[in-house]
Amino acid sequence: MRQIGNMVRFSYTRQKEPLGLGHAVLEARDMVGNEPFAVLLGDVIMTGERPATRQLIDVFESTGEGAIAVVPVEREQVSLYGIVATDPPIERDGRQIYRIRDLVEKPKPEEAPSTLAVVGRYVLPGEIFDYLERTEPGRGGEIQLTDALRQLAKERGLWAVICEGKSYDAGDKLGFLQATVEIGMENPEFGEAFRAWLRSLKV
Ligand code: G1P
């Protein structure tokens, strides 16, 4: 923790009322200004060789437009996520990227335009704040980041990147336990002992 504290300077703001993810991001406007910035939802844990946010920064730098991480999910699960509709992929710097045509927050399975789900990593231009200012409450009566992204995609451009590695929804109790066990098993310090202990359990 000390090492991280030496690498970066932390500032924080608090969302005083739970008015939605879009509203929470808008709270950071004064700190971020008009710069591109990353949003990382802390309840999504992603593993993999190359960090998802790094991949999104690369796409932002190459296209000059925002980029968000997506993963394929089962159709029954689409109502837990923002879902994207895209053009066929194009290749850019050795990776496939998809131009986003539309986004829908937590659609019903029969209404989802695809099964590509937004997983909580976004690299966005400062302009998104203007879109958020104009975003009316949407699904659940909340100001949704997805709705502001929908407008940004239509008017400016936005890319989806299927990120490598695995993602865990640690905001869900079962997902939290799965992340703890799977990531714990790979831990260089105590993974081996942890795996031995797991094997000893009578499940
Ligand atoms: C939020 C977003 C949703 C996204 C999800 C990823 O929803 O609104 O678009 O797919 O995070 O975890 P939440 O899980 O906060 O309800």
Side-chain angles (χ1 to χ4, degrees), residues 2 54 56 58 72 82 108 133 139-140 153 165 172 174 180 189 193 196-197:
R2 282 201 193 102
R54 176 71 255 169
L56 299 177
D58 290 345
K108 292 190 185 126
E133 290 272 7
R139 179 157 284 279
D172 171 74
L174 181 60
T180 306
E189 195 182 328
W197 175 74

mmCIF file with all atom_site columns, all heavy atoms in Angstrom, residues 2 54 56 58 72 82 108 133 139-140 153 165 172 174 180 189 193 196-197:
data_model
loop_
_atom_site.group_PDB
_atom_site.id
_atom_site.type_symbol
_atom_site.label_atom_id
_atom_site.label_alt_id
_atom_site.label_comp_id
_atom_site.label_asym_id
_atom_site.label_entity_id
_atom_site.label_seq_id
_atom_site.pdbx_PDB_ins_code
_atom_site.Cartn_x
_atom_site.Cartn_y
_atom_site.Cartn_z
_atom_site.occupancy
_atom_site.B_iso_or_equiv
_atom_site.pdbx_formal_charge
_atom_site.auth_seq_id
_atom_site.auth_comp_id
_atom_site.auth_asym_id
_atom_site.auth_atom_id
_atom_site.pdbx_PDB_model_num
ATOM 1   N N   . ARG A 1 2   ? 1.969   1.194   0.786   1.00 0.00 ? 2   ARG A N   1
ATOM 2   C CA  . ARG A 1 2   ? 2.869   2.361   0.844   1.00 0.00 ? 2   ARG A CA  1
ATOM 3   C C   . ARG A 1 2   ? 3.479   2.626   -0.527  1.00 0.00 ? 2   ARG A C   1
ATOM 4   O O   . ARG A 1 2   ? 3.609   3.767   -0.952  1.00 0.00 ? 2   ARG A O   1
ATOM 5   C CB  . ARG A 1 2   ? 3.990   2.132   1.852   1.00 0.00 ? 2   ARG A CB  1
ATOM 6   C CG  . ARG A 1 2   ? 3.511   2.327   3.248   1.00 0.00 ? 2   ARG A CG  1
ATOM 7   C CD  . ARG A 1 2   ? 4.668   2.612   4.197   1.00 0.00 ? 2   ARG A CD  1
ATOM 8   N NE  . ARG A 1 2   ? 4.164   2.474   5.542   1.00 0.00 ? 2   ARG A NE  1
ATOM 9   C CZ  . ARG A 1 2   ? 4.376   1.405   6.296   1.00 0.00 ? 2   ARG A CZ  1
ATOM 10  N NH1 . ARG A 1 2   ? 5.115   0.415   5.845   1.00 0.00 ? 2   ARG A NH1 1
ATOM 11  N NH2 . ARG A 1 2   ? 3.840   1.329   7.497   1.00 0.00 ? 2   ARG A NH2 1
ATOM 12  N N   . ARG A 1 54  ? -5.170  -0.816  -19.759 1.00 0.00 ? 54  ARG A N   1
ATOM 13  C CA  . ARG A 1 54  ? -4.044  -0.541  -20.670 1.00 0.00 ? 54  ARG A CA  1
ATOM 14  C C   . ARG A 1 54  ? -4.478  -0.737  -22.128 1.00 0.00 ? 54  ARG A C   1
ATOM 15  O O   . ARG A 1 54  ? -4.175  0.065   -22.999 1.00 0.00 ? 54  ARG A O   1
ATOM 16  C CB  . ARG A 1 54  ? -2.889  -1.498  -20.309 1.00 0.00 ? 54  ARG A CB  1
ATOM 17  C CG  . ARG A 1 54  ? -1.671  -1.448  -21.196 1.00 0.00 ? 54  ARG A CG  1
ATOM 18  C CD  . ARG A 1 54  ? -0.866  -0.182  -21.015 1.00 0.00 ? 54  ARG A CD  1
ATOM 19  N NE  . ARG A 1 54  ? -1.052  0.734   -22.107 1.00 0.00 ? 54  ARG A NE  1
ATOM 20  C CZ  . ARG A 1 54  ? -0.635  2.009   -22.132 1.00 0.00 ? 54  ARG A CZ  1
ATOM 21  N NH1 . ARG A 1 54  ? -0.011  2.530   -21.096 1.00 0.00 ? 54  ARG A NH1 1
ATOM 22  N NH2 . ARG A 1 54  ? -0.850  2.768   -23.160 1.00 0.00 ? 54  ARG A NH2 1
ATOM 23  N N   . LEU A 1 56  ? -7.450  -0.468  -23.312 1.00 0.00 ? 56  LEU A N   1
ATOM 24  C CA  . LEU A 1 56  ? -8.387  0.594   -23.694 1.00 0.00 ? 56  LEU A CA  1
ATOM 25  C C   . LEU A 1 56  ? -7.637  1.906   -23.969 1.00 0.00 ? 56  LEU A C   1
ATOM 26  O O   . LEU A 1 56  ? -7.979  2.645   -24.893 1.00 0.00 ? 56  LEU A O   1
ATOM 27  C CB  . LEU A 1 56  ? -9.432  0.813   -22.590 1.00 0.00 ? 56  LEU A CB  1
ATOM 28  C CG  . LEU A 1 56  ? -10.319 -0.399  -22.273 1.00 0.00 ? 56  LEU A CG  1
ATOM 29  C CD1 . LEU A 1 56  ? -11.263 -0.070  -21.121 1.00 0.00 ? 56  LEU A CD1 1
ATOM 30  C CD2 . LEU A 1 56  ? -11.116 -0.835  -23.505 1.00 0.00 ? 56  LEU A CD2 1
ATOM 31  N N   . ASP A 1 58  ? -4.668  2.111   -25.132 1.00 0.00 ? 58  ASP A N   1
ATOM 32  C CA  . ASP A 1 58  ? -4.041  1.945   -26.460 1.00 0.00 ? 58  ASP A CA  1
ATOM 33  C C   . ASP A 1 58  ? -5.052  2.282   -27.559 1.00 0.00 ? 58  ASP A C   1
ATOM 34  O O   . ASP A 1 58  ? -4.712  2.951   -28.536 1.00 0.00 ? 58  ASP A O   1
ATOM 35  C CB  . ASP A 1 58  ? -3.553  0.501   -26.654 1.00 0.00 ? 58  ASP A CB  1
ATOM 36  C CG  . ASP A 1 58  ? -2.356  0.175   -25.773 1.00 0.00 ? 58  ASP A CG  1
ATOM 37  O OD1 . ASP A 1 58  ? -1.740  1.127   -25.238 1.00 0.00 ? 58  ASP A OD1 1
ATOM 38  O OD2 . ASP A 1 58  ? -2.056  -1.018  -25.608 1.00 0.00 ? 58  ASP A OD2 1
ATOM 39  N N   . PRO A 1 72  ? -18.188 -11.530 -23.755 1.00 0.00 ? 72  PRO A N   1
ATOM 40  C CA  . PRO A 1 72  ? -19.396 -12.268 -24.131 1.00 0.00 ? 72  PRO A CA  1
ATOM 41  C C   . PRO A 1 72  ? -20.005 -12.923 -22.886 1.00 0.00 ? 72  PRO A C   1
ATOM 42  O O   . PRO A 1 72  ? -19.271 -13.452 -22.052 1.00 0.00 ? 72  PRO A O   1
ATOM 43  C CB  . PRO A 1 72  ? -18.877 -13.347 -25.091 1.00 0.00 ? 72  PRO A CB  1
ATOM 44  C CG  . PRO A 1 72  ? -17.443 -13.045 -25.341 1.00 0.00 ? 72  PRO A CG  1
ATOM 45  C CD  . PRO A 1 72  ? -16.965 -12.175 -24.231 1.00 0.00 ? 72  PRO A CD  1
ATOM 46  N N   . GLY A 1 82  ? -24.817 -3.636  -19.038 1.00 0.00 ? 82  GLY A N   1
ATOM 47  C CA  . GLY A 1 82  ? -25.018 -2.828  -20.229 1.00 0.00 ? 82  GLY A CA  1
ATOM 48  C C   . GLY A 1 82  ? -24.626 -3.713  -21.412 1.00 0.00 ? 82  GLY A C   1
ATOM 49  O O   . GLY A 1 82  ? -23.641 -4.452  -21.328 1.00 0.00 ? 82  GLY A O   1
ATOM 50  N N   . LYS A 1 108 ? -33.876 -6.960  -21.337 1.00 0.00 ? 108 LYS A N   1
ATOM 51  C CA  . LYS A 1 108 ? -34.400 -8.329  -21.179 1.00 0.00 ? 108 LYS A CA  1
ATOM 52  C C   . LYS A 1 108 ? -33.700 -9.192  -22.236 1.00 0.00 ? 108 LYS A C   1
ATOM 53  O O   . LYS A 1 108 ? -33.355 -8.680  -23.321 1.00 0.00 ? 108 LYS A O   1
ATOM 54  C CB  . LYS A 1 108 ? -35.899 -8.337  -21.468 1.00 0.00 ? 108 LYS A CB  1
ATOM 55  C CG  . LYS A 1 108 ? -36.714 -7.595  -20.448 1.00 0.00 ? 108 LYS A CG  1
ATOM 56  C CD  . LYS A 1 108 ? -38.193 -7.869  -20.694 1.00 0.00 ? 108 LYS A CD  1
ATOM 57  C CE  . LYS A 1 108 ? -39.033 -7.036  -19.770 1.00 0.00 ? 108 LYS A CE  1
ATOM 58  N NZ  . LYS A 1 108 ? -40.038 -6.221  -20.468 1.00 0.00 ? 108 LYS A NZ  1
ATOM 59  N N   . GLU A 1 133 ? -24.344 15.475  -18.088 1.00 0.00 ? 133 GLU A N   1
ATOM 60  C CA  . GLU A 1 133 ? -25.149 16.611  -17.608 1.00 0.00 ? 133 GLU A CA  1
ATOM 61  C C   . GLU A 1 133 ? -26.558 16.571  -18.197 1.00 0.00 ? 133 GLU A C   1
ATOM 62  O O   . GLU A 1 133 ? -27.514 16.977  -17.563 1.00 0.00 ? 133 GLU A O   1
ATOM 63  C CB  . GLU A 1 133 ? -24.520 17.946  -18.061 1.00 0.00 ? 133 GLU A CB  1
ATOM 64  C CG  . GLU A 1 133 ? -23.223 18.326  -17.401 1.00 0.00 ? 133 GLU A CG  1
ATOM 65  C CD  . GLU A 1 133 ? -23.438 19.100  -16.116 1.00 0.00 ? 133 GLU A CD  1
ATOM 66  O OE1 . GLU A 1 133 ? -24.593 19.205  -15.696 1.00 0.00 ? 133 GLU A OE1 1
ATOM 67  O OE2 . GLU A 1 133 ? -22.428 19.555  -15.542 1.00 0.00 ? 133 GLU A OE2 1
ATOM 68  N N   . ARG A 1 139 ? -32.888 3.491   -16.581 1.00 0.00 ? 139 ARG A N   1
ATOM 69  C CA  . ARG A 1 139 ? -33.261 2.245   -15.900 1.00 0.00 ? 139 ARG A CA  1
ATOM 70  C C   . ARG A 1 139 ? -33.093 2.374   -14.382 1.00 0.00 ? 139 ARG A C   1
ATOM 71  O O   . ARG A 1 139 ? -32.090 2.917   -13.915 1.00 0.00 ? 139 ARG A O   1
ATOM 72  C CB  . ARG A 1 139 ? -32.416 1.085   -16.443 1.00 0.00 ? 139 ARG A CB  1
ATOM 73  C CG  . ARG A 1 139 ? -32.738 -0.220  -15.778 1.00 0.00 ? 139 ARG A CG  1
ATOM 74  C CD  . ARG A 1 139 ? -32.367 -1.415  -16.599 1.00 0.00 ? 139 ARG A CD  1
ATOM 75  N NE  . ARG A 1 139 ? -33.284 -1.694  -17.697 1.00 0.00 ? 139 ARG A NE  1
ATOM 76  C CZ  . ARG A 1 139 ? -34.454 -2.346  -17.583 1.00 0.00 ? 139 ARG A CZ  1
ATOM 77  N NH1 . ARG A 1 139 ? -34.895 -2.756  -16.427 1.00 0.00 ? 139 ARG A NH1 1
ATOM 78  N NH2 . ARG A 1 139 ? -35.188 -2.586  -18.642 1.00 0.00 ? 139 ARG A NH2 1
ATOM 79  N N   . GLY A 1 140 ? -34.114 1.923   -13.649 1.00 0.00 ? 140 GLY A N   1
ATOM 80  C CA  . GLY A 1 140 ? -34.065 1.985   -12.187 1.00 0.00 ? 140 GLY A CA  1
ATOM 81  C C   . GLY A 1 140 ? -34.184 3.408   -11.657 1.00 0.00 ? 140 GLY A C   1
ATOM 82  O O   . GLY A 1 140 ? -33.903 3.656   -10.486 1.00 0.00 ? 140 GLY A O   1
ATOM 83  N N   . ALA A 1 153 ? -21.557 7.577   -28.391 1.00 0.00 ? 153 ALA A N   1
ATOM 84  C CA  . ALA A 1 153 ? -21.294 6.643   -29.495 1.00 0.00 ? 153 ALA A CA  1
ATOM 85  C C   . ALA A 1 153 ? -21.939 7.145   -30.779 1.00 0.00 ? 153 ALA A C   1
ATOM 86  O O   . ALA A 1 153 ? -21.343 7.074   -31.854 1.00 0.00 ? 153 ALA A O   1
ATOM 87  C CB  . ALA A 1 153 ? -21.825 5.254   -29.139 1.00 0.00 ? 153 ALA A CB  1
ATOM 88  N N   . GLY A 1 165 ? -8.533  -12.451 -20.706 1.00 0.00 ? 165 GLY A N   1
ATOM 89  C CA  . GLY A 1 165 ? -8.547  -12.743 -19.275 1.00 0.00 ? 165 GLY A CA  1
ATOM 90  C C   . GLY A 1 165 ? -9.952  -12.979 -18.784 1.00 0.00 ? 165 GLY A C   1
ATOM 91  O O   . GLY A 1 165 ? -10.903 -13.026 -19.555 1.00 0.00 ? 165 GLY A O   1
ATOM 92  N N   . ASP A 1 172 ? -21.286 -9.366  -6.393  1.00 0.00 ? 172 ASP A N   1
ATOM 93  C CA  . ASP A 1 172 ? -22.224 -10.453 -6.149  1.00 0.00 ? 172 ASP A CA  1
ATOM 94  C C   . ASP A 1 172 ? -21.534 -11.383 -5.141  1.00 0.00 ? 172 ASP A C   1
ATOM 95  O O   . ASP A 1 172 ? -20.337 -11.631 -5.274  1.00 0.00 ? 172 ASP A O   1
ATOM 96  C CB  . ASP A 1 172 ? -22.463 -11.140 -7.513  1.00 0.00 ? 172 ASP A CB  1
ATOM 97  C CG  . ASP A 1 172 ? -23.237 -12.418 -7.398  1.00 0.00 ? 172 ASP A CG  1
ATOM 98  O OD1 . ASP A 1 172 ? -24.448 -12.331 -7.173  1.00 0.00 ? 172 ASP A OD1 1
ATOM 99  O OD2 . ASP A 1 172 ? -22.630 -13.503 -7.537  1.00 0.00 ? 172 ASP A OD2 1
ATOM 100 N N   . LEU A 1 174 ? -21.561 -14.648 -4.525  1.00 0.00 ? 174 LEU A N   1
ATOM 101 C CA  . LEU A 1 174 ? -20.938 -15.842 -5.095  1.00 0.00 ? 174 LEU A CA  1
ATOM 102 C C   . LEU A 1 174 ? -19.717 -15.445 -5.934  1.00 0.00 ? 174 LEU A C   1
ATOM 103 O O   . LEU A 1 174 ? -18.655 -16.062 -5.854  1.00 0.00 ? 174 LEU A O   1
ATOM 104 C CB  . LEU A 1 174 ? -21.952 -16.618 -5.950  1.00 0.00 ? 174 LEU A CB  1
ATOM 105 C CG  . LEU A 1 174 ? -21.425 -17.901 -6.593  1.00 0.00 ? 174 LEU A CG  1
ATOM 106 C CD1 . LEU A 1 174 ? -20.933 -18.901 -5.539  1.00 0.00 ? 174 LEU A CD1 1
ATOM 107 C CD2 . LEU A 1 174 ? -22.502 -18.546 -7.470  1.00 0.00 ? 174 LEU A CD2 1
ATOM 108 N N   . THR A 1 180 ? -12.088 -14.770 -4.945  1.00 0.00 ? 180 THR A N   1
ATOM 109 C CA  . THR A 1 180 ? -11.150 -15.001 -3.843  1.00 0.00 ? 180 THR A CA  1
ATOM 110 C C   . THR A 1 180 ? -10.434 -16.343 -4.018  1.00 0.00 ? 180 THR A C   1
ATOM 111 O O   . THR A 1 180 ? -9.208  -16.437 -3.899  1.00 0.00 ? 180 THR A O   1
ATOM 112 C CB  . THR A 1 180 ? -11.909 -14.979 -2.499  1.00 0.00 ? 180 THR A CB  1
ATOM 113 O OG1 . THR A 1 180 ? -12.630 -13.754 -2.418  1.00 0.00 ? 180 THR A OG1 1
ATOM 114 C CG2 . THR A 1 180 ? -10.966 -15.091 -1.311  1.00 0.00 ? 180 THR A CG2 1
ATOM 115 N N   . GLU A 1 189 ? 2.759   -16.314 -3.414  1.00 0.00 ? 189 GLU A N   1
ATOM 116 C CA  . GLU A 1 189 ? 3.248   -16.541 -2.056  1.00 0.00 ? 189 GLU A CA  1
ATOM 117 C C   . GLU A 1 189 ? 2.570   -17.746 -1.390  1.00 0.00 ? 189 GLU A C   1
ATOM 118 O O   . GLU A 1 189 ? 3.229   -18.597 -0.821  1.00 0.00 ? 189 GLU A O   1
ATOM 119 C CB  . GLU A 1 189 ? 3.010   -15.267 -1.238  1.00 0.00 ? 189 GLU A CB  1
ATOM 120 C CG  . GLU A 1 189 ? 3.771   -15.220 0.048   1.00 0.00 ? 189 GLU A CG  1
ATOM 121 C CD  . GLU A 1 189 ? 3.445   -13.951 0.828   1.00 0.00 ? 189 GLU A CD  1
ATOM 122 O OE1 . GLU A 1 189 ? 3.173   -12.899 0.192   1.00 0.00 ? 189 GLU A OE1 1
ATOM 123 O OE2 . GLU A 1 189 ? 3.427   -14.030 2.062   1.00 0.00 ? 189 GLU A OE2 1
ATOM 124 N N   . ALA A 1 193 ? 0.006   -23.620 -1.090  1.00 0.00 ? 193 ALA A N   1
ATOM 125 C CA  . ALA A 1 193 ? -0.547  -24.076 0.190   1.00 0.00 ? 193 ALA A CA  1
ATOM 126 C C   . ALA A 1 193 ? -2.071  -23.975 0.165   1.00 0.00 ? 193 ALA A C   1
ATOM 127 O O   . ALA A 1 193 ? -2.784  -24.846 0.686   1.00 0.00 ? 193 ALA A O   1
ATOM 128 C CB  . ALA A 1 193 ? 0.030   -23.226 1.330   1.00 0.00 ? 193 ALA A CB  1
ATOM 129 N N   . ALA A 1 196 ? -3.464  -26.866 -1.828  1.00 0.00 ? 196 ALA A N   1
ATOM 130 C CA  . ALA A 1 196 ? -3.362  -28.113 -1.060  1.00 0.00 ? 196 ALA A CA  1
ATOM 131 C C   . ALA A 1 196 ? -4.498  -28.161 -0.028  1.00 0.00 ? 196 ALA A C   1
ATOM 132 O O   . ALA A 1 196 ? -5.142  -29.189 0.162   1.00 0.00 ? 196 ALA A O   1
ATOM 133 C CB  . ALA A 1 196 ? -2.003  -28.181 -0.370  1.00 0.00 ? 196 ALA A CB  1
ATOM 134 N N   . TRP A 1 197 ? -4.742  -27.031 0.576   1.00 0.00 ? 197 TRP A N   1
ATOM 135 C CA  . TRP A 1 197 ? -5.817  -26.985 1.581   1.00 0.00 ? 197 TRP A CA  1
ATOM 136 C C   . TRP A 1 197 ? -7.186  -27.213 0.923   1.00 0.00 ? 197 TRP A C   1
ATOM 137 O O   . TRP A 1 197 ? -8.010  -27.964 1.441   1.00 0.00 ? 197 TRP A O   1
ATOM 138 C CB  . TRP A 1 197 ? -5.787  -25.611 2.281   1.00 0.00 ? 197 TRP A CB  1
ATOM 139 C CG  . TRP A 1 197 ? -6.926  -25.426 3.234   1.00 0.00 ? 197 TRP A CG  1
ATOM 140 C CD1 . TRP A 1 197 ? -7.080  -26.000 4.466   1.00 0.00 ? 197 TRP A CD1 1
ATOM 141 C CD2 . TRP A 1 197 ? -8.089  -24.620 3.024   1.00 0.00 ? 197 TRP A CD2 1
ATOM 142 N NE1 . TRP A 1 197 ? -8.260  -25.606 5.030   1.00 0.00 ? 197 TRP A NE1 1
ATOM 143 C CE2 . TRP A 1 197 ? -8.901  -24.763 4.164   1.00 0.00 ? 197 TRP A CE2 1
ATOM 144 C CE3 . TRP A 1 197 ? -8.519  -23.811 1.991   1.00 0.00 ? 197 TRP A CE3 1
ATOM 145 C CZ2 . TRP A 1 197 ? -10.118 -24.106 4.293   1.00 0.00 ? 197 TRP A CZ2 1
ATOM 146 C CZ3 . TRP A 1 197 ? -9.737  -23.157 2.107   1.00 0.00 ? 197 TRP A CZ3 1
ATOM 147 C CH2 . TRP A 1 197 ? -10.520 -23.306 3.265   1.00 0.00 ? 197 TRP A CH2 1
#
